[in-house]
Amino acid sequence: MDDQSYMKEALRLARRGLGRVSPNPMVGALVVRGETIIGKGFHTNFGGPHAEVNALARVKGEPKGAILYVTLEPCSHHGKTPPCVDLIIEREIGGVVVGTKDPNPLVAGSGIRILRDHGVQVTVGVLEAECRRVNEAYFKYFETGLPFVTLKMAQSIDGRIATKEGGSRWISSIDSRKLAHRWRANHDAIMVGIGTVLRDDPSLTVRLVKGRNPRRIIVDSTLRIPVKSRVLSDANAPTTILTTLHADPRRIEKVEAVGARIFQVEANPQGRVDLRAALQMLATEGITSILVEGGGTLATSFLRAGLVDRLVVVIGRKIIGKGIDAVGDLGITDLNRALSFSIEKTRRVGEDLVVVARMHS
């Protein structure tokens, strides 16, 4: 096997931490002697041992002189665990092959430098694009100060998310809804607009699959949310309300009294929550990824602001006709200026078609 083959295996291991390690990155590691893998490990949970530690712990005998393959630069600072570079040096690893540098300013090349200073041969950049992609939310968080945003929409074939009276259950199949719950579990937070709360009174929790509940975020510019809403009345997940600086202080007290956190954000020219400012604030809370589930007004606002990284469209086998559009007016009059996405994959899920696309820069 060559370096790329070993790194592919390390990436496969890294993905096993999906939904369990954030805001830490997913990392996989292999210890190789000759052409034999003598240890494997991955970062299993937030606050737990890192991938390198787990891989070295599974080596029978001494790993002295072996090669360590790791998808992300080994850490060099004390956090919830000791620096991985110290263990690598202590165990006298002969060489380290790194997929990509760590964008965290606490590391940012220092792990590689320390290893080289101690005589460890380090190779950097093997399958770098793939190693960055597996942790794209982590990289975006450190490189831009914003969370990675996935916009998910369930719509009819003719682009409606509900009938004209607001009926939307269910446009998608149960299989697609299970998939949507898996997406919830794999994001730090789930976000909806106040219109969705008022219309559907959703729980916004993970119920159809196993996984952690994300933080619930409600965009409510004038703080209209009823205090008996499910997102406020149950304790299955924390809830944050994004509102503007003009929100009534008495309403703020009532909502906070039932356990929600209120973030007051500056308003945009339309008097609504400024979404970019809101994302910057949420990033300071350690939120690296957000699943935006709707409704149409919020989806339109995110698209207009250019804040969508990934688009997931679930298309049910229904035609509604006149109803609520999945996306509202984007102010586009010239087709050449239409928002452009690249299709990453399409798949059939139950009776639905699921399209995953990436926003063009």
Side-chain angles (χ1 to χ4, degrees), residues 112-168:
I112 294 167
R113 183 174 63 254
I114 290 171
L115 291 173
R116 286 174 173 165
D117 288 347
H118 283 80
V120 180
Q121 182 177 349
V122 182
T123 301
V124 183
V126 176
L127 296 185
E128 182 173 8
E130 292 89 337
C131 290
R132 285 180 61 94
R133 174 61 71 90
V134 78
N135 284 307
E136 56 189 339
Y138 179 79
F139 275 87
K140 185 185 179 187
Y141 174 79
F142 280 108
E143 293 175 350
T144 69
L146 296 172
F148 185 90
V149 174
T150 299
L151 173 60
K152 175 255 176 182
M153 298 184 293
Q155 65 177 53
S156 62
I157 292 174
D158 54 341
R160 306 288 187 262
I161 60 173
T163 66
K164 60 183 179 181
E165 286 81 19
S168 60

Side-chain angles (χ1 to χ4, degrees), residues 176-185 205-209:
S176 293
R177 297 199 294 278
K178 286 180 179 178
L179 182 60
H181 278 232
R182 190 171 297 115
W183 286 324
R184 288 181 181 183
T205 53
V206 176
R207 303 179 304 282
L208 302 181
V209 299

Side-chain angles (χ1 to χ4, degrees), residues 148-152 187 290-293 308-312:
F148 185 90
V149 174
T150 299
L151 173 60
K152 175 255 176 182
H187 285 76
I290 298 175
L291 177 66
V292 178
E293 280 203 1
V308 176
D309 298 295
R310 176 171 55 198
L311 179 66
V312 178

Side-chain angles (χ1 to χ4, degrees), residues 63-106:
K64 181 179 179 179
I67 305 300
L68 174 69
Y69 288 82
V70 61
T71 55
L72 188 70
E73 175 184 5
C75 66
S76 55
H77 65 289
H78 283 272
K80 290 185 177 294
T81 60
C84 289
V85 293
D86 290 355
L87 180 63
I88 293 169
I89 294 166
E90 177 188 321
R91 301 299 293 273
E92 298 184 85
I93 294 297
V96 178
V97 179
V98 176
T100 183
K101 290 183 179 180
D102 191 334
N104 187 337
L106 295 175

Side-chain angles (χ1 to χ4, degrees), residues 159-235:
R160 306 288 187 262
I161 60 173
T163 66
K164 60 183 179 181
E165 286 81 19
S168 60
R169 295 185 178 180
W170 295 101
I171 287 177
S172 58
S173 67
I174 182 62
D175 300 278
S176 293
R177 297 199 294 278
K178 286 180 179 178
L179 182 60
H181 278 232
R182 190 171 297 115
W183 286 324
R184 288 181 181 183
N186 293 339
H187 285 76
D188 293 341
I190 178 173
M191 180 184 290
V192 300
I194 184 59
T196 297
V197 174
L198 295 175
R199 183 179 66 248
D200 299 335
D201 192 22
S203 297
L204 303 181
T205 53
V206 176
R207 303 179 304 282
L208 302 181
V209 299
K210 291 183 178 179
R212 65 175 183 175
N213 287 320
R215 184 189 299 198
R216 299 174 293 201
I217 301 173
I218 314 300
V219 181
D220 185 1
S221 300
T222 56
L223 209 55
R224 294 183 289 155
I225 189 167
V227 293
K228 292 185 178 181
S229 299
R230 289 183 184 177
V231 292
L232 298 181
S233 60
D234 70 59

Side-chain angles (χ1 to χ4, degrees), residues 152-160 171-173 176 183 312-319 346-356:
K152 175 255 176 182
M153 298 184 293
Q155 65 177 53
S156 62
I157 292 174
D158 54 341
R160 306 288 187 262
I171 287 177
S172 58
S173 67
S176 293
W183 286 324
V312 178
V313 183
V314 179
I315 304 172
R317 58 182 190 128
K318 295 178 175 66
I319 293 178
T346 61
R347 58 184 290 202
R348 182 172 178 174
V349 178
E351 299 174 339
D352 307 325
L353 176 66
V354 177
V355 179
V356 180

